[in-house]
Structures are given as structure tokens and as C-alpha cells.
Amino acid sequence: MNEWIKQLTDWFLETTHLGGYSILLLTIPLAVVQGIFGVFPFATIVMLHISLLGIMNGLLASWIAGTAAGMIVYLMCGYFFADWFNRKWMGKLQKYEKWQKGLDRYGVWAVIFLRTVPIMPNNLISFMSAISNLKMRSYTWSNLVGNLSSIWLFGILSASIVFPGVNLRELIVSYAVFLILLGIVFVVRNRSISNKKSGMTP
């Protein structure tokens, strides 16, 4: 285990006296802060969870924290802090304009893709979703799946750092299967939509 991770873990345990999944009482608020201000990478929370809970439980805790934070930031931006967001972040979103258009066009799938591939910060994805035409129900689903994909991938990349020599074969294979299934659903869904549009064309 890297020394800085050990120090961070020890500090959390000594300060909070929390153990197991009760650590979420601290890491969910931290994830919300990260989701609003982006002052530190979410990967820090993931590695902390993995260090405290092990690989599988750590990834599950990270998924819970990331999903909760994504929903809270989305709701805060859409219903409470829209004006503040426009003043603070709209200028930064200009360089992501093509992704905003992609989000408006593909909705759920764009959020999943952006969560999985580290193209832009997580907080901007939540903000962009809040100002797009994406409905809350669709965002909720994409937030769940997108965070699962993102954290699963990061778990594969970071687990060997936290636990050197660990066998990640099952984690890698299961993630590959997950991506294949997700791709199949995407293709089938888009074909179904295209066929419906074609059927409606006179």
C-alpha cells in the first residue's frame, strides 16, 4: 500500500472512529464537495474506500458515494444554484461545447460515456446534464450506470497499486463483459429508435 494512502487511511480511522460502510457518512459529503467544486479528484475517495474496505466492498462504497453525489449535484444545479453555475462555470463549458451537443442528442448514453472516459471533470458532467434536455429519470439511470462503469475501471487500474500482486483477472473479465453488454444495448436501442422514426416517415 502506498505510504500516502496509508497515512490518509490512518487519519480517517483515528479522527472519525468509523469502520466498514459507516465511512460513507464522511465520504458522501466529501464526494458532494468534490462534485461541486472539484477541489480534489474523486479517485482519492475511491482509493480510500479500497484501502479501508478491500477491493470489492471499496468499489461498491465508491459507487454509492459517486452516485449519490452525482444526483445531489444535479439537483442542486438544476433547482437551486443555476444562476451561480452560469456565472462560475459557463465559460469553462465552452471548450466542451461539442460534448454538450452530444449530451443533448444522445442523453443517457453520453452521460455514461463521459463518466467512463476521463474527458472532463465529473462535476461538469452533472452541471451539463442539469442544463440539458435530459429528464431526471434518464439522468438517474445514466448516473447509476455511468458511475458503475467509471469506478469499475478505476478499480482495475488502482487495485494493483493499493494491493500489489492481487489477481485482477475476474475484475477485468467481468468489466469487459459489462462493456460488451452495454454496447449491445446501445446498438439495439438506437436501431429501435431509428426504425420507429423510419416508420413514422411518410
Side-chain angles (χ1 to χ4, degrees), residues 12 23-46 48-49 61-74 76 115 121-124 126-127 139 143 147 151:
F12 259 81
I23 197 69
L24 288 168
L25 295 173
L26 271 180
T27 54
I28 288 179
L30 284 175
V32 173
V33 171
Q34 190 277 334
I36 297 175
F37 301 106
V39 291
F40 59 89
F42 186 76
T44 303
I45 296 176
V46 179
L48 177 60
H49 283 149
S62 299
W63 182 42
I64 293 171
T67 301
M71 284 304 305
I72 292 170
V73 173
Y74 170 84
M76 291 175 66
R115 292 279 189 210
N122 274 335
N123 55 348
L124 290 186
S126 299
F127 294 155
Y139 174 77
N143 185 49
N147 273 296
I151 291 168

Side-chain angles (χ1 to χ4, degrees), residues 15 20 113:
T15 304
F113 177 78

Side-chain angles (χ1 to χ4, degrees), residues 95-130:
K95 66 178 181 178
Y96 297 116
E97 183 178 0
K98 66 177 182 179
W99 294 112
Q100 182 69 61
K101 292 179 179 178
L103 197 153
D104 290 334
R105 180 178 179 182
Y106 293 104
V108 167
W109 298 103
V111 174
I112 294 173
F113 177 78
L114 291 173
R115 292 279 189 210
T116 303
V117 182
I119 297 173
M120 66 177 66
N122 274 335
N123 55 348
L124 290 186
I125 299 172
S126 299
F127 294 155
M128 288 169 60
S129 300

